[in-house]
Amino acid sequence: MTIPTIVGAGLIVIGAGLGIGKIGGSAMDAIARQPEASGKIQTAMLIAAALIEGIGFAALFAG
Amino acid sequence: MQRKTLGNILSIFILLASFTMQAETVSSGEDSGDLKSEIKAYISHHLLDSYDFGLYSYTNDQGGHEYVGFPLPVILWDDGLKVFSSSKLHHDEGVAEVGGNLYRSYHGKIYNVTSTGGELKMDDHHHPENRVHLDFSITKNVFTIFLVSLLILFVFSRMAKSYKNSAMPKGVGRGLEPIIQYIRDDIAIPNIGIKKYKRYMPYLLTVFFFIWIINLLGLTPLGINVTNNIAVTLALALLTYLFTTFTANKNYWGHIFWMPGVPPLMRIVLAPIELLGTIIKPFSLMIRLYANITAGHIVLMSIIGLMFIFKNWLGSSLSFFLAFALSLLELLVAALQAYIFTMLSALYFGSAVEEHHDDH
Amino acid sequence: MEKLINEFSFGLFFWQLLMFVLLVILLGKFAWKPILSAIEGREEGIKDALDAAEKAKLEMANLNADNERLLQEARAERETMMKEAREIKAKMIADAKEEAQAEANKTIANAQAAIESEKKAAVAELKSTVATLSVDIAEKMVKSELSNKDKQLELVNSMLNDAKLN
């Protein structure tokens, strides 16, 4: 593994982490606001997180 | 109260750091470096498929490796069908002579070494040459796939039979039924729609239970590791892709090739992007499952390996608890990845059979 | 990426694909179909039972309402019957009273008429008797008084005066 690859991987992880963190935080807010819709919010949150994660992994492996 | 806990954690870290430094100084010796590379080799070996079902191995008094397990059949298509027992390969150390050809295994792959007289010839990238690509061997992973398939078939057909006598299932079925209902009510119906979900139910249920059980098996000390093979996740993702493509309606293709509601020029630009999107979706399914399970295994095994590197009671016990906590997390991940795969498959199926809406 | 392609094992892919397709088909036939239909059947059963219970409840309510209505009707009928009876009674009493009154009046009238006629008869008889008597008396008086002329006249006068009274 060369240094640019490692740095790139680190950047990807930071970006993906921030993205998933934002999704999680927003989902928490949404659940706090509307606890009765928590099931739907959770599903949407998981899908969005999974999509970002997928992109993160794809970039990581492409590197 | 919180500050106190924080202080405690901090002091533990400082202690740990000092111990690690001690360990660092020890590891400057040759012995520890060997251990590190050995752990690394062990982890990469664990992640690979193997031709025999090894339960564990140890080094005997003479310094040789002893393996405990049983051999599996090797099936090759290389100048005709070649079938032989994996015991002939002697765990990468022996040369198997079958039908006038010589074969050797190296890091989970089989190479034809007839031309070199039994020796592996490395190319520029340090990969051996003459790999046998049409390798249909019943490897450890294939064997596990058969085993899990049989297990699932047995459990669920029994569960199906138990409905004949009573409205409620018996035994394990009682615990599995809510999961089936959950997949139907919370994954299939909301994503695909009440009209068409029935066609996809067998696939969704099978894919969920298959991935879940095989992920859980990966957490047992058997050292089975199926879903961290790109071939396995590719097969699953490909099935999702094919199922989506062949059941898609006019509306789905219309959205890809001639996106409604946008100017004609944009439609031409969007078509290749949308078409690429249909391939990226299953591709991300494949990578996600593969990467999650692989990363989980690497991290877990590295932390277990840390126990042997620390060589002091505090570091080792801390790594033990870390490994323990991570195993619990992996239990969650095993189910979560199965859920995500099923969920996203259902989402893609849903987009394939979505009816035309007039609102755009 | 290169590592991934290098790691890819066609055999594993082949077996996984084959096994999985087989598994989906077999499970679909022998497990998922009966399980899902059993679950659906059970849910249908529960729904039907709930519906039936709801229906029964509704029927019960209807029945209760019917009963109530019948009771109400019966009560109303009884009320009217009682009222009628009371009216009839009152009427009968009134009629009886009236009749009795009429009868009494009639009797009284009859009695009065009889009394009147009796009285008239008595007066007539009395008159004739008085006349006879007067004639007799006069005869006697005349017989006796005629001897005395003044006395005779006086007597005739007084007698006439007396007779005029009647």
Side-chain angles (χ1 to χ4, degrees):
Chain A
M1 253 185 158
T2 56
I3 286 170
T5 324
I6 293 167
V7 171
L11 284 175
I12 291 163
V13 170
I14 289 170
L18 282 176
I20 292 174
K22 180 104 178 62
I23 290 166
S26 308
M28 290 288 159
D29 282 350
I31 289 171
R33 208 165 292 147
Q34 278 177 295
E36 69 278 358
S38 61
K40 277 185 176 175
I41 294 167
Q42 253 168 20
T43 311
M45 177 191 80
L46 278 177
I47 290 171
L51 290 176
I52 291 185
E53 195 193 44
I55 290 167
F57 277 126
L60 217 57
F61 278 94
Chain B
M1 183 69 199
Q2 227 172 9
R3 186 157 295 173
K4 204 177 162 195
T5 351
L6 211 71
N8 281 346
I9 291 169
L10 214 73
S11 55
I12 286 171
F13 267 108
I14 292 164
L15 257 174
L16 185 67
S18 62
F19 276 110
T20 330
M21 261 178 244
Q22 245 182 3
E24 259 341 287
T25 47
V26 173
S27 71
S28 57
E30 222 169 275
D31 187 45
S32 192
D34 265 6
L35 187 63
K36 269 187 189 170
S37 56
E38 197 184 321
I39 288 168
K40 217 172 163 183
Y42 188 83
I43 292 171
S44 63
H45 173 79
H46 166 80
L47 294 175
L48 289 174
D49 201 356
S50 66
Y51 285 95
D52 57 340
F53 204 99
L55 294 172
Y56 62 93
S57 66
Y58 60 93
T59 315
N60 62 14
D61 298 341
Q62 282 82 42
H65 285 293
E66 292 279 341
Y67 295 91
V68 177
F70 51 90
L72 294 165
V74 176
I75 304 160
L76 302 176
W77 188 265
D78 187 39
D79 302 332
L81 193 67
K82 303 275 192 311
V83 181
F84 57 96
S85 162
S86 71
S87 59
K88 281 188 179 178
L89 294 167
H90 295 287
H91 306 278
D92 292 7
E93 283 157 17
V95 178
E97 192 184 344
V98 185
N101 283 348
L102 298 176
Y103 296 104
R104 243 192 122 125
S105 64
Y106 177 73
H107 285 187
K109 300 276 178 285
I110 284 188
Y111 301 90
N112 187 338
V113 288
T114 318
S115 55
T116 51
E119 287 302 313
L120 285 167
K121 195 178 152 207
M122 298 295 179
D123 64 9
D124 303 335
H125 301 286
H126 295 283
H127 293 309
E129 284 178 344
N130 296 324
R131 179 173 159 194
V132 182
H133 284 286
L134 293 176
D135 173 4
F136 298 104
S137 305
I138 310 298
T139 60
K140 188 178 184 176
N141 286 339
V142 176
F143 186 76
T144 311
I145 290 166
F146 286 178
L147 217 62
V148 168
S149 301
L150 282 178
L151 179 79
I152 292 176
L153 206 58
F154 175 71
V155 168
F156 286 104
S157 55
R158 252 179 69 117
M159 180 180 165
K161 274 202 195 89
S162 79
Y163 278 105
K164 277 186 188 148
N165 302 322
S166 68
M168 290 293 284
K170 283 196 204 94
V172 280
R174 204 161 271 197
L176 293 169
E177 199 200 73
I179 302 175
I180 294 173
Q181 273 177 312
Y182 178 80
I183 291 171
R184 190 192 60 180
D185 296 338
D186 288 279
I187 295 180
I189 291 176
N191 287 311
I192 302 172
I194 193 96
K195 274 189 217 150
K196 292 182 173 166
Y197 81 95
K198 276 199 173 125
R199 189 161 32 151
Y200 300 98
M201 276 311 281
Y203 179 75
L204 293 175
L205 285 167
T206 313
V207 95
F208 177 82
F209 284 108
F210 183 82
I211 295 176
W212 188 35
I213 290 170
I214 222 152
N215 279 350
L216 284 180
L217 263 184
L219 294 173
T220 57
L222 289 171
I224 296 164
N225 213 348
V226 180
T227 31
N228 85 335
N229 284 281
I230 200 82
V232 173
T233 58
L234 173 67
L236 294 172
L238 187 72
L239 283 174
T240 296
Y241 174 71
L242 291 178
F243 213 2
T244 312
T245 309
F246 285 112
T247 57
N249 58 14
K250 244 196 287 178
N251 191 30
Y252 174 75
W253 294 117
H255 267 80
I256 289 171
F257 290 114
W258 208 240
M259 179 70 89
V262 293
L265 196 70
M266 276 298 282
R267 293 181 181 187
I268 294 164
V269 177
L270 275 176
I273 296 174
E274 285 285 325
L275 200 61
L276 200 66
T278 61
I279 297 164
I280 288 175
K281 281 172 183 173
F283 184 78
S284 73
L285 271 185
M286 167 184 91
I287 292 287
R288 178 175 308 109
L289 182 57
Y290 163 80
N292 267 293
I293 302 303
T294 310
H297 276 258
I298 290 175
V299 173
L300 196 55
M301 292 203 76
S302 304
I303 288 170
I304 291 169
L306 271 184
M307 275 194 261
F308 301 98
I309 289 175
F310 270 129
K311 278 188 185 155
N312 62 56
W313 64 271
L314 184 63
S316 292
S317 51
L318 262 177
S319 346
F320 171 77
F321 283 113
L322 199 58
F324 181 71
L326 215 69
S327 301
L328 293 181
L329 186 72
E330 284 297 306
L331 274 179
L332 176 73
V333 168
L336 192 68
Q337 288 308 315
Y339 168 72
I340 295 267
F341 198 102
T342 316
M343 179 88 196
L344 290 175
S345 292
L347 202 68
Y348 301 153
F349 296 152
S351 72
V353 294
E354 197 181 8
E355 288 301 324
H356 179 69
H357 296 303
D358 291 322
D359 50 277
H360 58 213
Chain C
M1 205 69 213
E2 194 201 351
K3 187 172 162 274
L4 280 188
I5 292 164
N6 213 30
E7 242 179 44
F8 181 78
S9 155
F10 183 74
L12 189 55
F13 172 73
F14 168 78
W15 287 117
Q16 168 67 28
L17 206 62
L18 187 75
M19 255 346 265
F20 196 79
V21 170
L22 216 65
L23 196 62
V24 170
I25 292 167
L26 283 179
L27 277 176
K29 196 154 186 247
F30 294 114
W32 304 136
K33 210 170 150 195
I35 290 173
L36 286 174
S37 63
I39 292 174
E40 248 160 53
R42 203 180 57 207
E43 280 169 350
E44 203 74 17
I46 291 170
K47 200 170 150 271
D48 282 356
L50 281 177
D51 281 355
E54 192 63 31
K55 219 170 138 193
K57 214 167 118 190
L58 216 71
E59 255 167 34
M60 203 64 161
N62 272 348
L63 217 65
N64 270 347
D66 267 10
N67 278 351
E68 194 64 28
R69 196 169 51 79
L70 278 177
L71 212 65
Q72 207 76 37
E73 266 171 23
R75 213 173 279 149
E77 207 165 328
R78 196 191 65 184
E79 206 70 19
T80 46
M81 273 165 86
M82 293 277 277
K83 204 172 149 202
E84 261 169 35
R86 223 176 280 132
E87 270 169 14
I88 287 169
K89 187 182 93 182
K91 197 163 163 258
M92 269 167 86
I93 289 170
D95 279 2
K97 264 187 186 165
E98 214 169 286
E99 218 163 293
Q101 192 69 40
E103 197 69 28
N105 285 349
K106 209 173 148 193
T107 315
I108 289 167
N110 279 353
Q112 270 170 350
I115 289 166
E116 196 64 31
S117 64
E118 284 298 313
K119 196 177 146 193
K120 270 181 186 162
V123 166
E125 209 182 298
L126 201 64
K127 267 182 181 169
S128 68
T129 312
V130 165
T132 324
L133 264 175
S134 321
V135 171
D136 281 355
I137 291 166
E139 204 184 271
K140 279 173 184 167
M141 292 273 281
V142 164
K143 274 177 182 173
S144 63
E145 291 286 319
L146 277 178
S147 45
N148 195 347
K149 202 179 175 184
D150 293 339
K151 256 194 168 175
Q152 266 181 358
L153 272 174
E154 201 184 332
L155 186 73
V156 168
N157 279 341
S158 75
M159 274 201 154
L160 278 173
N161 279 348
D162 280 355
K164 261 178 198 168
L165 285 171
N166 283 319

